[in-house]
mmCIF file of all heavy atoms in Angstrom:
data_model
loop_
_atom_site.group_PDB
_atom_site.id
_atom_site.type_symbol
_atom_site.label_atom_id
_atom_site.label_comp_id
_atom_site.label_asym_id
_atom_site.label_seq_id
_atom_site.Cartn_x
_atom_site.Cartn_y
_atom_site.Cartn_z
ATOM 1 N N THR A 34 83.993 112.235 103.769
ATOM 2 C CA THR A 34 82.854 112.363 104.680
ATOM 3 C C THR A 34 82.519 110.981 105.246
ATOM 4 O O THR A 34 83.141 110.007 104.904
ATOM 5 C CB THR A 34 81.633 112.876 103.930
ATOM 6 O OG1 THR A 34 81.217 111.908 102.950
ATOM 7 C CG2 THR A 34 81.896 114.227 103.224
ATOM 8 N N GLN A 35 81.530 110.972 106.112
ATOM 9 C CA GLN A 35 81.107 109.695 106.674
ATOM 10 C C GLN A 35 80.694 108.701 105.557
ATOM 11 O O GLN A 35 80.881 107.520 105.684
ATOM 12 C CB GLN A 35 79.890 109.887 107.570
ATOM 13 C CG GLN A 35 80.200 109.712 109.010
ATOM 14 C CD GLN A 35 78.991 109.864 109.877
ATOM 15 O OE1 GLN A 35 78.011 110.526 109.530
ATOM 16 N NE2 GLN A 35 78.996 109.200 110.982
ATOM 17 N N GLY A 36 80.172 109.250 104.475
ATOM 18 C CA GLY A 36 79.708 108.392 103.404
ATOM 19 C C GLY A 36 80.776 107.761 102.538
ATOM 20 O O GLY A 36 80.588 106.766 101.927
ATOM 21 N N ASN A 37 81.955 108.393 102.500
ATOM 22 C CA ASN A 37 83.011 107.813 101.670
ATOM 23 C C ASN A 37 84.291 107.475 102.396
ATOM 24 O O ASN A 37 85.260 107.027 101.811
ATOM 25 C CB ASN A 37 83.302 108.729 100.414
ATOM 26 C CG ASN A 37 83.868 110.051 100.822
ATOM 27 O OD1 ASN A 37 84.199 110.284 101.960
ATOM 28 N ND2 ASN A 37 84.004 110.920 99.838
ATOM 29 N N SER A 38 84.339 107.692 103.719
ATOM 30 C CA SER A 38 85.474 107.285 104.493
ATOM 31 C C SER A 38 85.559 105.761 104.456
ATOM 32 O O SER A 38 84.569 105.041 104.657
ATOM 33 C CB SER A 38 85.335 107.768 105.943
ATOM 34 O OG SER A 38 86.472 107.339 106.704
ATOM 35 N N GLY A 39 86.760 105.226 104.227
ATOM 36 C CA GLY A 39 86.890 103.795 104.067
ATOM 37 C C GLY A 39 86.724 103.328 102.623
ATOM 38 O O GLY A 39 87.037 102.195 102.313
ATOM 39 N N GLY A 40 86.263 104.221 101.784
ATOM 40 C CA GLY A 40 86.093 103.917 100.338
ATOM 41 C C GLY A 40 87.406 104.202 99.579
ATOM 42 O O GLY A 40 88.328 104.746 100.091
ATOM 43 N N PRO A 41 87.409 103.769 98.303
ATOM 44 C CA PRO A 41 88.616 103.927 97.545
ATOM 45 C C PRO A 41 88.834 105.364 97.038
ATOM 46 O O PRO A 41 87.874 106.099 96.756
ATOM 47 C CB PRO A 41 88.369 103.034 96.313
ATOM 48 C CG PRO A 41 86.896 102.952 96.210
ATOM 49 C CD PRO A 41 86.353 103.060 97.599
ATOM 50 N N LEU A 42 90.077 105.738 96.981
ATOM 51 C CA LEU A 42 90.504 106.970 96.312
ATOM 52 C C LEU A 42 91.050 106.481 94.966
ATOM 53 O O LEU A 42 91.969 105.681 94.938
ATOM 54 C CB LEU A 42 91.599 107.693 97.127
ATOM 55 C CG LEU A 42 92.212 108.944 96.530
ATOM 56 C CD1 LEU A 42 91.141 110.060 96.445
ATOM 57 C CD2 LEU A 42 93.390 109.405 97.382
ATOM 58 N N VAL A 43 90.427 106.892 93.886
ATOM 59 C CA VAL A 43 90.804 106.424 92.564
ATOM 60 C C VAL A 43 91.375 107.542 91.699
ATOM 61 O O VAL A 43 91.020 108.696 91.843
ATOM 62 C CB VAL A 43 89.612 105.750 91.844
ATOM 63 C CG1 VAL A 43 89.156 104.547 92.617
ATOM 64 C CG2 VAL A 43 88.449 106.685 91.616
ATOM 65 N N ASN A 44 92.225 107.143 90.739
ATOM 66 C CA ASN A 44 92.740 108.134 89.799
ATOM 67 C C ASN A 44 91.811 108.167 88.596
ATOM 68 O O ASN A 44 90.802 107.463 88.532
ATOM 69 C CB ASN A 44 94.172 107.830 89.424
ATOM 70 C CG ASN A 44 94.352 106.489 88.712
ATOM 71 O OD1 ASN A 44 93.399 105.910 88.190
ATOM 72 N ND2 ASN A 44 95.579 106.011 88.652
ATOM 73 N N LEU A 45 92.127 109.000 87.610
ATOM 74 C CA LEU A 45 91.225 109.147 86.470
ATOM 75 C C LEU A 45 91.125 107.880 85.594
ATOM 76 O O LEU A 45 90.287 107.772 84.742
ATOM 77 C CB LEU A 45 91.641 110.340 85.636
ATOM 78 C CG LEU A 45 91.403 111.701 86.295
ATOM 79 C CD1 LEU A 45 91.917 112.832 85.404
ATOM 80 C CD2 LEU A 45 89.931 111.891 86.575
ATOM 81 N N ASP A 46 92.078 106.979 85.777
ATOM 82 C CA ASP A 46 92.050 105.730 85.036
ATOM 83 C C ASP A 46 91.236 104.663 85.756
ATOM 84 O O ASP A 46 91.192 103.509 85.319
ATOM 85 C CB ASP A 46 93.471 105.205 84.788
ATOM 86 C CG ASP A 46 94.263 106.102 83.871
ATOM 87 O OD1 ASP A 46 93.637 106.640 82.940
ATOM 88 O OD2 ASP A 46 95.492 106.267 84.047
ATOM 89 N N GLY A 47 90.669 105.007 86.910
ATOM 90 C CA GLY A 47 89.896 104.061 87.687
ATOM 91 C C GLY A 47 90.689 103.145 88.594
ATOM 92 O O GLY A 47 90.157 102.179 89.107
ATOM 93 N N GLU A 48 91.986 103.417 88.709
ATOM 94 C CA GLU A 48 92.812 102.567 89.554
ATOM 95 C C GLU A 48 92.729 103.086 91.008
ATOM 96 O O GLU A 48 92.825 104.240 91.262
ATOM 97 C CB GLU A 48 94.282 102.649 89.078
ATOM 98 C CG GLU A 48 94.454 102.183 87.620
ATOM 99 C CD GLU A 48 95.775 102.636 87.049
ATOM 100 O OE1 GLU A 48 96.290 103.708 87.391
ATOM 101 O OE2 GLU A 48 96.303 101.838 86.229
ATOM 102 N N VAL A 49 92.618 102.143 91.915
ATOM 103 C CA VAL A 49 92.568 102.498 93.325
ATOM 104 C C VAL A 49 93.980 102.889 93.749
ATOM 105 O O VAL A 49 94.930 102.100 93.587
ATOM 106 C CB VAL A 49 92.062 101.345 94.199
ATOM 107 C CG1 VAL A 49 92.125 101.694 95.683
ATOM 108 C CG2 VAL A 49 90.622 101.005 93.821
ATOM 109 N N ILE A 50 94.124 104.102 94.289
ATOM 110 C CA ILE A 50 95.460 104.557 94.756
ATOM 111 C C ILE A 50 95.485 104.725 96.287
ATOM 112 O O ILE A 50 96.552 104.941 96.852
ATOM 113 C CB ILE A 50 95.869 105.854 94.048
ATOM 114 C CG1 ILE A 50 94.919 106.982 94.379
ATOM 115 C CG2 ILE A 50 96.045 105.621 92.571
ATOM 116 C CD1 ILE A 50 95.405 108.349 93.914
ATOM 117 N N GLY A 51 94.357 104.603 96.948
ATOM 118 C CA GLY A 51 94.346 104.735 98.376
ATOM 119 C C GLY A 51 92.953 104.427 98.949
ATOM 120 O O GLY A 51 92.004 104.205 98.219
ATOM 121 N N ILE A 52 92.895 104.408 100.266
ATOM 122 C CA ILE A 52 91.673 104.227 100.998
ATOM 123 C C ILE A 52 91.361 105.491 101.793
ATOM 124 O O ILE A 52 92.185 105.874 102.665
ATOM 125 C CB ILE A 52 91.736 103.037 101.986
ATOM 126 C CG1 ILE A 52 92.038 101.754 101.178
ATOM 127 C CG2 ILE A 52 90.440 102.878 102.771
ATOM 128 C CD1 ILE A 52 92.372 100.566 102.037
#
Side-chain angles (χ1 to χ4, degrees):
T34 65
Q35 252 183 332
N37 65 7
S38 179
L42 178 65
V43 297
N44 64 17
L45 291 177
D46 293 325
E48 301 164 327
V49 176
I50 61 170
I52 300 171

